[in-house]
Structures are given as structure tokens and as C-alpha cells.
Amino acid sequence: MAVKRSANGSKFSAPLKRGDVLWRAVGAEVASHVAREWHGSGPHRLLIALPRPEGLAARPHDPRPADADHGRKILAGVMTLDGGILRIGPDGDPFDIASPSRRFAVSLHRFDWLPDLAAAGSDGARRALRLLDDWRRVFGKWNGFSWSPECLERRAFHLACAAKALAAEGSDAEIADLTLDIARQGRHLVELKTSPERALERAVAATIAGCVLAGKPGENLIDKGLKAFARHIDLMVLADGGHATRSPEAGVELLFDLLTLDDALGQRGRPSPESLSRAIDRLSTATRFFTLGDGHLAAFHGGEAIAPARIAAALAHDDAGPRPLNAAPHSGYQKMVGGSLEVIADCGRPPAGPLSVSACAQPAALEIVCAKDRLITSCGWSPEAAGAHAFRLSDAASTVSVGDGSAGRPLSGFRARALGAWLVDGATQVEAKRHDDVGGVWLDIIHDGWRHVGLTHARRLFLDAVNDELRGEDSLTPIAAEPGAADGPRRYLPFAVRFHLHPEARASIARDGKSVLIRGPNTIGWWLRNDAVDVAIAPTAHFDHGLARKAGQVVLKSQVRPEVGAKIRWKLTRAEG
């Protein structure tokens, strides 16, 4: 039986001791204060402004789908960004009006509206130039929020990709201001040291900005960007194509960026590094692996289930067709396919340190597609759901939860403000064993995420391809509790196996009080049978672009004595008729 372990080779992957986090937070706070003072100073602003750019060169293509209809709405005076709406009128200035939410403000200053506005034609380009002038008048020199890594990286990327379209409608003075904006922001990007989990994306955006700028200033920025790119590419793109954060969506978004970079370098006559071509190929393979039978992406570790059209755009360059992969061992995922069932399981430990700012404490979580319907999923939390960090805990995914605790937690308070909401105290040892035969697939997952209550969780799955059913057993076995653990073992602890339903799935409990009938949009029914002490259907939420939708969850309940252990068995099988 083959053994697969998550093998994230990143320098950030080692779990942290509790004392390390505090000292890192103190160091990060001091470094952040020093950086803010320097970046806002006159000498720094002068350094990133010189030498002045000579004009525009490449016109890189971002394969992400643009929404021209949204661009036309902006022309009419309505901006819709990240769930917020701002009515500014046809000539209004959104940068001089209070944003409806922080999420909206971030999206506004990232210029997430620019691709859609540029897609609306010449009128959109002229309106974009006026909006850029409005931004520059207030924020162009320096502003702690607008020039933060959170906003600057995407703004520089969007400006570089739209520069030629905007220049076609601009005056000489507007073009000169535009090129200077791109140069200053690209140069500033390569200097940033914070948010190391985004260092590769910053290097890519800075290199693309260099490709857009003509002459020696552009060449110098390309060289700096490619040096930073070379330092980070093999750390962030794993051997199986997964992103080091373990987020499938992060891998797709990085693929878009690398395709744009490859196009920009080609237009400048610069050969693409071998590592760039290799990463594009690996990320494309991983995107196919993480795309499930319903056409959407698997949603794990801060990534959402993005739509088929976006996935198709990411793979439009790749004519090799699907690869017969059933495992992503370096990323820590396993896929089981048989009959009309498809299962993807989280079999790796959560990322550590900076890579964990979007990670979830949900080891052994499942997503299950039944006859092309995604019935079993998670709450789909992503960073767009700002502040909803409770949905990163164990009970927000289709896995086991014990008591009112979690197999890990995000930082809060000063540590989170200084470092970001890193995930700490998560599983440190996760093992997966898989065996394939003609009758189906066995998968065993074992992790120590519940060591603080003296328990190990083992999840055994068997996908029966002959009978078209999935059988599962979730067992908790005793181990020695960590010394000084705050939540020591009690005589009994409640534990549950949760199955979070997609918002379009419905469930009802049969007369026996145990069996649950689940149906998706295609109305095919699936029985979830089990030997739990109690079964309930409870409300929950499912996030879509950071916005919560009503959903349900099936909760199989029991109790466990930490010194003895316990288990729940269950089976998902197609309903007759």
C-alpha cells in the first residue's frame, strides 16, 4: 500500500513554537513601522521616480475573463466591487467618497475595475484615464493604505496590462503620467519585504510592469523582477503543480499571472526562464486535478469553487488535454473517482507561518460530487469574507470536530495585526495511504490535529466502483495529551462527523431518525446511512466571493472518552428510482 505524505518543501513549512510567534510579531511590527516611515519619505519617492520612463513597449494580455457589462455600468456611474455598490454618477470621483466597506476600498485601490472598464471600448479607456487622474491627485505620491502590498500588487498588474489601451485615448501628458505611475509602482513592488507569501506574485507584477516600459528603465525593472522571480518560483509552485499555500484557487490565479508574464516577455524579445515554462505546465496540470465533475474548482484553504468559465480561460493555452492524475502528493490531496461518485480529500498538514494566512484547520476534509452535483463541500471561506475567521475552524468543513474546539486556530489580537491571521496549533503529522484495485479505491488518512485533547483522528474511505457507493469510518483513538494543554480530557466529549451541503443541495431525515436523503439540482437522491447516536440537519453558510449564502449541514453525533476512543461509520449510496 503506497504511503503519501504532504511534502511542502517551502522554507515556511515548518510548524512554529508558540513563543516564536510572539517574537516574530514584535519584529514584524517594528519592521513595518520603519518601512512605512521610509516609503513615505521624500528620498524614497525620488528614488522610485528616477530614471523617468521613455514610453510604452509591450501590451501583455491577461487571460482572465473581463466583464464589459460591468464596465458599461461604471460608465453609467455605478461601481459594484466585492459585494458593495457605490453610485458616483457618470463623472463622479470614487476616491473622494467614503467606500461602503473596507473590502470595497481594497478592490477600488487595487483597480479591480480597470479590466472591465477597458473592455468597454474607447469610452471606457477615457473614463479610466479620468479615474486614474482622480486617484493620482490624492494618493499618487504616497499613502499607507493605497500603497500597501494588499493594494499595490494588483494595481500595478492591472495598469501594466491596460496601459496601451489607455494610451490610445490619452494625451501626451496623460501618457507620460501613466508611464511614470507604472514605473514608480513597479520599482516599489520589488523593494517590499512584507507578506512573503505574495513575494512571487509581486515579482511577476513588477516584471510585467518592466516589460510595458520602453528603453533602459524597463530593462532594469525586468532584470530586478526576474531575479526576485527566480528566488521564489520553486518555493511557491510545488512539484505536482500545487500552490505552497495549498489553496487550489491561489494556483489558478498564479497561473493567470504567469501566462501574462510569459506573453509580456515574448513581446519584449526576452526568453522566458525555464522555471516559468515548467511552472505553467505544473500549474495547468494541478488545475485539471482540482477541477471536479461539476466543472468548479475544489474549495480548500482559503480558495473558493471558482466557475467553469474562469477555469476554461486558465487552461485555454493548454491543448494537451486532461491528465489521468488521482493524487497530488506534494500538495497533500487525493482524488477518488468511480461510477458517478468523485471525492477529493485533504491529506496534508495545513501550511505554517506566512503561508497560512488563509489556511483552514480542517484536516481530512472532503468534497464529494455525486452525478455531477457537488453535494458535500465546506463553508468555502476565503479572505474575501473579511473577519469571518470562525469559518476556518474544523466544524466549518466536512470532517470531524471534537467538543467545541478545533484542530488549529487563526491568530488574533496583536499577533494577527502584526503578522496576519496565521493558522497555529494545527495538525503537525498527517499520513495518507491509498490502494487502488479493480473494485474501487481505499484511502486512509491519519492526523494529530486533536492531540490537545489526547486523540488522533483516522478517516478510512472506500469508494466502491461496482456498487457506486462511498463507505467511511471516522475513528478517534487515544494518545498522550500535550503537557500543559489548556483543554484537558474530560470523561466524555461530544464529537461529530459533519457533511456540509452545497447551497443547492437539500437533505431530509428518514423515519428511522438516522438515514438522510440528499438531493442536488439534478434531483438524483443519495442516502447517507450511519451508526451515529444522533443525526441532525443544522443551518450553516457557504461563501461565494466572500458573501455568505444559506446552506445546511448533516451532523452525525456521538460521544468519546479520550482514554478509550470512539468511531462513527457511514455510507453514501444512490437511492433507488
Side-chain angles (χ1 to χ4, degrees):
M1 183 179 289
V3 178
K4 303 291 185 184
R5 298 177 185 266
S6 68
N8 185 341
S10 167
K11 62 183 179 180
F12 306 119
S13 62
L16 295 170
K17 298 179 181 178
R18 293 185 180 183
D20 292 343
V21 174
L22 176 60
W23 285 113
R24 289 200 186 194
V26 171
E29 184 69 13
V30 172
S32 177
H33 178 75
V34 172
R36 284 196 300 270
E37 292 296 319
W38 165 243
H39 292 152
S41 68
H44 176 261
R45 296 202 304 268
L46 181 63
L47 283 173
I48 62 174
L50 297 175
R52 294 187 68 87
E54 301 173 11
L56 296 174
R59 184 175 187 165
H61 170 65
D62 179 6
R64 294 175 176 87
D67 186 354
D69 288 339
H70 181 227
R72 286 187 281 271
K73 289 179 182 177
I74 297 174
L75 285 172
V78 180
M79 299 189 83
T80 304
L81 300 171
D82 268 340
I85 300 177
L86 191 63
R87 302 181 187 279
I88 58 175
D91 298 311
D93 177 5
F95 300 102
D96 195 35
I97 303 173
S99 293
S101 67
R102 188 184 187 280
R103 284 179 53 204
F104 185 100
V106 170
S107 187
L108 177 67
H109 283 262
R110 282 164 46 126
F111 284 21
D112 287 343
W113 45 267
L114 183 53
D116 296 342
L117 199 52
S122 57
D123 289 343
R126 286 191 291 269
R127 180 70 174 113
L129 283 169
R130 293 198 300 274
L131 288 171
L132 176 55
D133 186 59
D134 292 335
W135 175 85
R136 186 187 301 117
R137 186 169 54 252
V138 181
F139 302 101
K141 288 185 178 180
W142 172 256
N143 174 269
F145 171 76
S146 191
W147 283 71
S148 67
E150 186 177 22
C151 298
L152 179 62
E153 173 205 308
R154 288 296 96 186
R155 183 171 66 245
F157 182 93
H158 291 318
L159 278 174
C161 292
K164 279 293 191 75
L166 302 187
E169 303 296 330
S171 65
D172 290 344
E174 287 174 321
I175 295 172
D177 288 340
L178 172 62
T179 55
L180 183 57
D181 286 335
I182 294 172
R184 293 178 69 237
Q185 294 179 51
R187 291 164 182 163
H188 184 64
L189 271 179
V190 295
E191 289 187 12
L192 291 176
K193 305 298 182 185
T194 58
S195 303
E197 75 280 0
R198 299 292 299 180
L200 176 60
E201 286 82 355
R202 288 199 299 269
V204 170
T207 309
I208 292 170
C211 291
V212 168
L213 300 173
K216 193 66 174 176
E219 293 290 338
N220 289 339
L221 187 52
I222 292 172
D223 291 340
K224 289 182 180 180
L226 287 178
K227 285 181 181 178
F229 173 88
R231 289 196 300 270
H232 296 286
I233 184 63
D234 289 329
L235 293 173
M236 299 306 294
V237 180
L238 306 181
D240 55 21
H243 195 277
T245 61
R246 302 195 62 231
S247 163
E249 185 181 10
V252 175
E253 293 304 311
L254 178 58
L255 175 58
F256 278 124
D257 285 359
L258 297 189
L259 290 169
T260 307
L261 174 60
D262 187 53
D263 179 55
L265 289 171
Q267 291 185 39
R268 284 300 296 262
R270 300 281 294 256
S272 293
E274 181 182 345
S275 57
L276 172 59
S277 301
R278 182 172 61 246
I280 288 174
D281 183 63
R282 288 176 173 176
L283 288 166
S284 300
T285 300
T287 299
R288 295 187 186 279
F289 170 80
F290 286 117
T291 302
L292 301 183
D294 65 342
H296 291 75
L297 205 67
F300 291 100
H301 289 289
E304 293 191 4
I306 63 176
R310 197 169 183 87
I311 297 173
L315 295 175
H317 70 284
D318 184 9
D319 58 2
R323 282 79 160 176
L325 295 181
N326 56 25
H330 299 275
S331 304
Y333 293 96
Q334 294 279 339
K335 183 186 281 187
M336 309 164 71
V337 181
S340 55
L341 286 168
E342 183 178 18
V343 182
I344 188 166
D346 183 347
C347 302
R349 72 171 187 243
L355 296 178
S356 70
V357 291
S358 300
C360 297
Q362 298 161 354
L366 301 177
E367 292 210 339
I368 306 174
V369 174
C370 306
K372 305 298 183 184
D373 285 344
R374 189 173 309 202
L375 299 186
I376 310 300
T377 181
S378 68
C379 287
W381 178 87
S382 75
E384 291 188 69
H389 291 288
F391 290 93
R392 299 171 64 186
L393 303 180
S394 301
D395 59 6
S398 296
T399 186
V400 161
S401 60
V402 180
D404 56 1
S406 178
R409 59 181 177 83
L411 291 177
S412 58
F414 165 72
R415 292 170 176 83
R417 290 193 300 273
L419 297 170
W422 291 9
L423 193 75
V424 294
D425 299 335
T428 59
Q429 299 292 328
V430 183
E431 264 193 23
K433 298 180 181 180
R434 179 190 180 113
H435 177 71
D436 296 80
D437 61 33
V438 292
V441 185
W442 286 96
L443 179 63
D444 289 285
I445 310 166
I446 303 173
H447 71 87
D448 66 348
W450 297 102
R451 63 191 180 278
H452 59 286
V453 292
L455 293 167
T456 294
H457 173 211
R459 167 162 273 183
R460 164 164 280 198
L461 303 170
F462 176 62
L463 182 59
D464 188 334
V466 177
N467 295 310
D468 203 18
E469 65 183 28
L470 175 67
R471 297 197 287 272
E473 179 182 283
D474 286 286
S475 58
L476 296 168
T477 56
I479 57 172
E482 289 184 329
D487 188 11
R490 299 191 296 269
R491 183 168 178 79
Y492 285 101
L493 288 171
F495 90 96
V497 181
R498 298 176 185 273
F499 296 90
H500 286 261
L501 304 177
H502 190 273
E504 296 178 1
R506 297 292 180 267
S508 57
I509 299 178
R511 292 180 181 179
D512 64 5
K514 291 285 189 73
S515 303
V516 181
L517 181 63
I518 306 173
R519 293 186 187 273
N522 65 18
T523 72
I524 296 175
W526 294 83
W527 283 111
L528 179 62
R529 306 186 190 278
N530 62 88
D531 64 359
V533 173
D534 188 29
V535 179
I537 297 176
T540 185
H542 182 85
F543 288 94
D544 186 6
H545 295 292
L547 301 176
R549 299 173 61 188
K550 291 182 179 180
Q553 59 174 314
V554 179
V555 187
L556 311 183
K557 301 178 181 180
S558 187
Q559 290 185 324
V560 57
R561 290 177 59 188
E563 66 274 17
V564 176
K567 66 182 176 183
I568 292 177
R569 293 174 295 184
W570 50 269
K571 179 172 69 173
L572 187 66
T573 185
R574 192 164 181 159
E576 294 182 5

